[in-house]
């Protein structure tokens, strides 16, 4: 049965055009923001803003922002649009310093937003937290980054370095070439596992070590993951609607279990004389000292 016209097809076409027009008007509603403010800006494109190359995955966000940065030499700042939201790209060093130091309290929250119900591990990371939660977590983590405590973990890096030397001596003794990228990736994995979690991943000895396999899974590229990452910056509402995850469920569970098993194993570190110092141990001590146990 027709609603507006005698033809049902014409009714559907009309509804489609109205919905499309409404979507277009919604996406461009902020496109005059910088013009009204009298600030030079990069002309946006509907649906993409100034991020077309990034959203279409033709360029990563770092390279794209560098391109915009270099294309506007001579300007202290310029306006851009991340899909439909206005943002300011600052080039002047004095202004950057003022934003990051004197006026930092006006720029506390970041644009990264992760749905905690879908991705609790990334949603509760300090880079995704805002307001009171960010303040508490930062207060508990700051003591872990003092020079003295960083030096206390250096012996772990040194131990991994010695293992790297033994690995290179063994595999180059007969003149064979070594895959530098793979070797250094495995060395880095050992350092991360030792310093961050206080565990030995043995990636240099075993290229298929469990920790290395899941770490590689974490950084594997896929169109789905790339799109999920983009939504955290440009369209966080889509995460909940489309149920997008940055991490696969099994990868998330592995790192969650690694953290909690290490915490349980090191729980008595705070009052012990153990020589095993890891970033996780230092954070645990900071949490106990500051009485910050859990943030709801």
């Amino acid at each position: 049965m027709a609603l507006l016209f005698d033809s049902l097809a014409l009714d559907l076409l009309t509804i489609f055009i109205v919905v499309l027009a409404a979507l277009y008007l919604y996406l461009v509603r902020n496109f005059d923001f910088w013009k009204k403010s009298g600030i030079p800006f990069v002309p946006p494109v509907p649906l993409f803003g100034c991020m077309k190359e990034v959203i279409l995955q033709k360029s990563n966000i770092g390279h794209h922002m560098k391109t915009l940065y270099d294309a506007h030499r001579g300007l202290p700042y310029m306006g851009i649009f991340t899909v439909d939201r206005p943002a300011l790209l600052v080039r002047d060093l004095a202004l950057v310093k003022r934003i990051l130091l004197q006026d930092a309290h006006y720029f506390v929250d970041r644009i990264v937003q992760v749905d905690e119900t879908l991705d609790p591990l990334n949603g509760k990371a300090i880079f995704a937290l805002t307001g009171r939660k960010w303040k508490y977590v930062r207060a508990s983590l700051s003591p872990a980054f003092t020079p003295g405590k960083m030096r206390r973990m250096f012996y772990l890096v040194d131990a991994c370095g010695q293992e790297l030397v033994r690995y290179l001596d063994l595999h180059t003794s007969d003149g064979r070439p070594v895959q530098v990228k793979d070797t250094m990736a495995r060395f880095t994995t050992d350092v991360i596992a030792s310093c961050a979690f206080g565990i030995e991943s043995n990636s240099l000895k075993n290229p298929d070590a469990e920790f290395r396999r899941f770490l590689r899974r974490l950084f594997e590229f896929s169109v789905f993951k790339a799109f999920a990452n983009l939504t955290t910056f440009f369209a966080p509402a889509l995460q909940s609607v489309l149920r997008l995850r940055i991490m696969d469920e099994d990868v998330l569970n592995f790192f969650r279990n690694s953290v909690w098993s290490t915490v349980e194993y090191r729980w008595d570190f705070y009052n012990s004389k153990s020589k095993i110092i890891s970033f996780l141990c230092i954070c645990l001590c900071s949490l106990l000292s500051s009485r910050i146990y859990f943030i709801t």
Side-chain angles (χ1 to χ4, degrees), residues 171-209:
H171 288 80
T172 59
S173 58
D174 57 356
R176 288 181 298 169
V178 174
Q179 294 292 333
V180 175
K181 182 179 179 180
D182 179 69
T183 300
M184 296 311 298
R186 288 156 63 183
F187 166 72
T188 304
T189 300
D190 285 346
V191 172
I192 292 173
S194 297
C195 293
F197 296 93
I199 61 177
E200 294 182 3
S201 64
N202 294 318
S203 297
L204 282 171
K205 295 179 180 178
N206 178 17
D208 294 321

Side-chain angles (χ1 to χ4, degrees), residues 6-126:
D6 294 334
S7 171
L8 180 61
L10 193 56
D11 281 343
L12 293 176
L13 179 61
T14 302
I15 293 173
F16 176 76
I17 292 174
V18 170
V19 171
L20 199 62
L23 179 62
Y24 173 82
L25 292 174
Y26 176 79
L27 290 173
V28 302
R29 70 193 186 283
N30 293 322
F31 280 5
D32 60 347
F33 180 87
W34 295 121
K35 185 177 181 179
K36 289 180 178 179
S37 303
I39 293 176
F41 63 95
V42 180
V45 177
L47 188 63
F48 301 106
C50 300
M51 300 294 166
K52 182 178 179 180
E53 299 297 316
V54 178
I55 294 175
L56 295 180
Q57 301 183 27
K58 295 181 179 179
S59 175
N60 66 56
I61 188 170
H63 288 156
H64 184 65
M65 296 301 288
K66 180 67 163 55
T67 301
L68 295 176
Y69 182 91
D70 291 339
H72 295 83
R73 295 184 183 277
L75 293 177
Y77 46 78
M78 81 285 299
I80 61 173
F81 293 90
T82 58
V83 184
D84 62 333
R85 293 187 296 177
L88 193 67
L89 179 60
V90 182
R91 299 187 79 258
D92 182 72
L93 292 180
L95 188 55
V96 171
K97 183 177 180 180
R98 180 171 177 176
I99 292 172
L100 295 178
L101 298 177
Q102 293 98 318
D103 295 334
H105 54 285
Y106 294 114
F107 303 93
V108 177
D109 294 341
R110 296 169 175 81
I111 64 171
V112 177
Q113 297 181 36
V114 181
D115 190 335
E116 288 188 24
T117 59
L118 288 174
D119 195 345
L121 191 62
N122 287 297
K124 293 182 179 179
I126 191 170

Side-chain angles (χ1 to χ4, degrees), residues 197-199 262-270 276 281 284:
F197 296 93
I199 61 177
T262 304
V263 167
E264 291 173 0
Y265 183 73
R266 310 292 188 204
W267 187 253
D268 60 343
F269 169 80
Y270 187 63
I276 302 176
C281 290
L284 179 60

Side-chain angles (χ1 to χ4, degrees), residues 146-286:
T146 61
K149 290 179 179 176
M150 291 293 101
R151 283 195 295 270
R152 290 170 65 187
M153 288 193 293
F154 181 74
Y155 81 97
L156 295 171
V157 181
D158 183 61
C160 292
Q162 293 177 17
E163 185 62 37
L164 175 64
V165 171
R166 287 192 289 270
Y167 174 87
L168 292 175
D169 287 342
L170 177 65
H171 288 80
T172 59
S173 58
D174 57 356
R176 288 181 298 169
V178 174
Q179 294 292 333
V180 175
K181 182 179 179 180
D182 179 69
T183 300
M184 296 311 298
R186 288 156 63 183
F187 166 72
T188 304
T189 300
D190 285 346
V191 172
I192 292 173
S194 297
C195 293
F197 296 93
I199 61 177
E200 294 182 3
S201 64
N202 294 318
S203 297
L204 282 171
K205 295 179 180 178
N206 178 17
D208 294 321
E210 185 180 38
F211 196 92
R212 173 161 168 74
R213 281 193 289 108
F214 279 99
L215 198 62
R216 291 181 68 177
R217 288 272 308 281
L218 182 63
F219 293 104
E220 279 181 352
F221 175 83
S222 71
V223 175
F224 180 81
K225 281 186 179 180
F227 181 70
N229 273 293
L230 287 174
T231 60
T232 64
F233 287 92
F234 306 134
L238 283 177
Q239 281 186 319
S240 301
V241 175
L242 301 179
R243 311 293 293 175
L244 299 175
R245 290 175 177 269
I246 299 175
M247 281 188 193
D248 295 330
E249 185 68 22
D250 58 335
V251 176
L252 176 65
N253 289 334
F254 171 78
F255 285 106
R256 181 192 285 120
N257 293 335
S258 296
V259 169
W260 281 114
S261 62
T262 304
V263 167
E264 291 173 0
Y265 183 73
R266 310 292 188 204
W267 187 253
D268 60 343
F269 169 80
Y270 187 63
N271 294 314
S272 72
K273 297 181 180 180
S274 173
K275 294 182 179 180
I276 302 176
I277 309 292
S278 70
F279 181 76
L280 192 59
C281 290
I282 293 174
C283 289
L284 179 60
C285 292
S286 299

